[in-house]
Amino acid sequence: MDLIRLEQITKNYGNPGSDITTHVLKGVTFSIQEGEFLSIMGPSGSGKSTLMHIIGLLDRPTSGKYFLRGEDTSQLSDDQLARLRNKEIGFIFQSFNLLPRISVLENVVLPLSYVGLSQAKEEELALKVIRAVGMEHRINNMPNQLSGGEQQRVAIARAFVNNPSIIFADEPTGNLDSKSGQQVMSILQELNHQGHTVVLVTHESATAEHGTRMIKIHDGKILSDEPIINRLLADREGELGK
Amino acid sequence: MSLQNLKANKLRSFLTMLGIVVGIGSVIVIVSVGAGAQSLIVNQVTSVGSNLVGVLPGKSEKNSPPASIMGIKITTLTFSDAQALAQKNNVPHAVAVSPMVRGYEQISWKNHNNYFNFSGVTDKYIIVQNVAVAKGRFISENEALNMGKSLVLGSQVAEDLFQGQDPIGETVKIKGVSFQVVGVMEKKGSAGFENQDAQVFLPLATAQKMILGINYITVARIKIDDTKNIQPSINDIEALMRARHRIPGPDQDDFTVENSSQAIAALTTITDAIRYFLASIAAMSLVVGGIGIMNIMLVVVNERIKEIGLRQALGATKRDILNQFVLETTVVSLVGGIIGIAGGVSISVLVALIAKKLGYNWDLVISWQSLAVSTSISFLIGLIFGIYPAKKASRLSPMEALRYE
Ligand SMILES: Nc1ncnc2c1ncn2[C@@H]1O[C@H](COP(=O)(O)OP(=O)(O)OP(=O)(O)O)[C@@H](O)[C@H]1O
Ligand SMILES: [Mg+2]
């Protein structure tokens, strides 16, 4: 069974104060298999983020069908979607989206706080993923005391602390220099290697080439959908500044 | 979880709490001080007794004060008038009648001397004026009627003239007449327009004949048994006085009847107005406090909506979000409310203590209405503006909340 199946997904935005609607997605159909590293590539404004928000269950399509493990997500309530996101999905955003006034550790614990574990268990799990991204020396720091690359590594730790099946990353390297970008891509490849499905959104082909499959999207429509033959492997030397 | 968030946003939590503390505290203090000030004013008047009727010589003109107050000597009121007023069959509801004369003379003891006000009174004075002697006794009826040479000191006179020594049994002189001090009055403070502490009391007849050289009285105060009998008694008094003075109708009256309950009613009206004025200031301070809270909350709405979007993306349900905000604002409002009540009550108590120390007859009044109203309004404001961003964000999809600017 497909992990995710999209059928003729569209998304329109009505502009306030006029009856012109913006058609952002114009009928998108594809599926994602368990264990894939899918890169969605396209120019700015083509609808990549919109598409990712829909697949990530952060937003609902205007029309079309979305099946997650065969289940029609349009039938689910907002709260059921929230629980699905909590269990199945991890997000990495271009702008990190860490809460500014709580520590690294508390940020990583956030998704677990909606699961209902003991505090000791929460911290144990959080420390494990923080160690995996090499940030264990900064657990009590506030996000603004970290560099951009470090903040993104914390955000990645938060994205997989719940052991989700799918990790979504929207331009995760967009705000980083190439070395930090390499570290982030290396962690994503490692997570994919461990069995997490990864969906990466980017406009740079060099970043997209780290995946196993590439969907090119333009003006809300799929241009091509092909496996990546010569997959790039992120520079492990750059990883974690070792 | 939620409380961790409160700690993380210390400044915001503190400012919100401050708005609530100041709002509740100031309402309690303002209302309490207003009520205390009213009690002070009313106590001053009622300490004389609210059931008093005064008979003054001379007719009071509608637009001018009684002639006797203007310093014009009117001789139409006599001791026998007072005796007639005291008879049960004339004024059935009169408890006691206190006829008085007043003057200002030098009083000397050994080589100390000074000028003091004095009142010539009978034994009924302490009943009518609702006062008591602290030491010794008051002037007896026999002394009052038969030119006794006893004298009672007001508390302040006792201090000024005797400077700590026991005055009882000492002899003082007024206009060459020797009096024996038989008592010292309790300290009372100024009541109405008289300062009882700063005067001395002489037997009525002695004051009239030997000191002032007159045979009329300046006022007769009558204590009525119950407030509801004041008006019938005034009618009795007027009828009696007209009969005794052979006056055909009210426009020829040579006397004036006054009533302290009217004065109290007038004062209460004024002090009520002041209280309502203060209460409305308090209400405004609550509104201002509320606007303060509102501002702080609105400033952080955007930031919070992004936070809510993120939490939803990470798996929080709408209920999780709402619970968090309700808990947060409840804790802030509750702690702020408790501090506000504690602070407001302590300041009110402090004001009352200081006022009492300064000798004012000040009641500590903390109305539960002011506690309830200010607490619930502040609580409501805290709750509404704390939950507002959560409600607003829950109408957005997580994606819209995340993108919210
Ligand atoms: N809420 C909205 N209302 C109206 N139009 C919107 C809204 N959100 C997105 N759009 C439009 O949808 C189009 C696609 O936006 P989207 O963010 O998906 O692009 P993108 O491919 O991620 O671009 P980028 O690479 O710059 O991030 C844009 O033209 C944008 O203006
Ligand atoms: Mg985008």
Side-chain angles (χ1 to χ4, degrees), chain A residues 13 15 22 24 43-51 171 203, chain B residues 403:
Chain A
Y13 287 111
N15 294 17
T22 317
V24 180
S44 181
S46 55
K48 306 181 296 289
S49 296
T50 306
L51 179 59
E171 307 271 14
H203 63 274
Chain B
R403 282 195 171 181

Side-chain angles (χ1 to χ4, degrees), chain A residues 22-186:
Chain A
T22 317
H23 301 271
V24 180
L25 298 177
K26 301 169 179 170
V28 175
T29 302
F30 65 89
S31 30
I32 302 173
Q33 309 304 318
E34 201 118 19
E36 268 189 319
F37 191 136
L38 173 64
S39 298
I40 297 175
M41 201 181 87
S44 181
S46 55
K48 306 181 296 289
S49 296
T50 306
L51 179 59
M52 193 201 88
H53 290 139
I54 289 172
I55 320 175
L57 299 172
L58 293 176
D59 205 2
R60 292 176 191 266
T62 307
S63 70
K65 293 264 176 214
Y66 173 2
F67 300 94
L68 182 75
R69 295 188 204 285
E71 186 173 14
D72 184 355
T73 57
S74 66
Q75 304 301 315
L76 300 176
S77 71
D78 288 348
D79 283 358
Q80 285 171 314
L81 291 184
R83 269 184 221 108
L84 262 183
R85 285 196 296 272
N86 190 241
K87 258 181 28 208
E88 300 274 7
I89 295 171
F91 289 101
I92 301 162
F93 303 95
Q94 178 171 359
S95 50
F96 322 136
N97 278 343
L98 299 174
L99 288 187
R101 293 200 182 84
I102 57 177
S103 70
V104 163
L105 180 65
E106 289 164 335
N107 263 289
V108 175
V109 162
L110 270 186
L112 296 173
S113 66
Y114 301 107
V115 176
L117 303 171
S118 72
Q119 200 186 337
K121 184 76 188 162
E122 283 179 356
E123 290 192 359
E124 182 199 322
L125 288 174
L127 281 172
K128 207 172 107 190
V129 294
I130 290 171
R131 229 173 270 127
V133 299
M135 288 300 297
E136 64 273 22
H137 55 302
R138 307 303 291 270
I139 53 168
N140 291 320
N141 286 73
M142 295 291 147
N144 65 1
Q145 296 167 327
L146 307 181
S147 74
E150 289 173 327
Q151 289 187 47
Q152 195 60 301
R153 272 146 61 192
V154 173
I156 294 174
R158 183 182 64 191
F160 73 97
V161 69
N162 269 358
N163 197 26
S165 340
I166 320 160
I167 294 171
F168 289 93
D170 189 356
E171 307 271 14
T173 61
N175 282 336
L176 304 179
D177 65 15
S178 61
K179 187 177 152 196
S180 304
Q182 284 291 310
Q183 290 175 4
V184 165
M185 292 316 297
S186 159

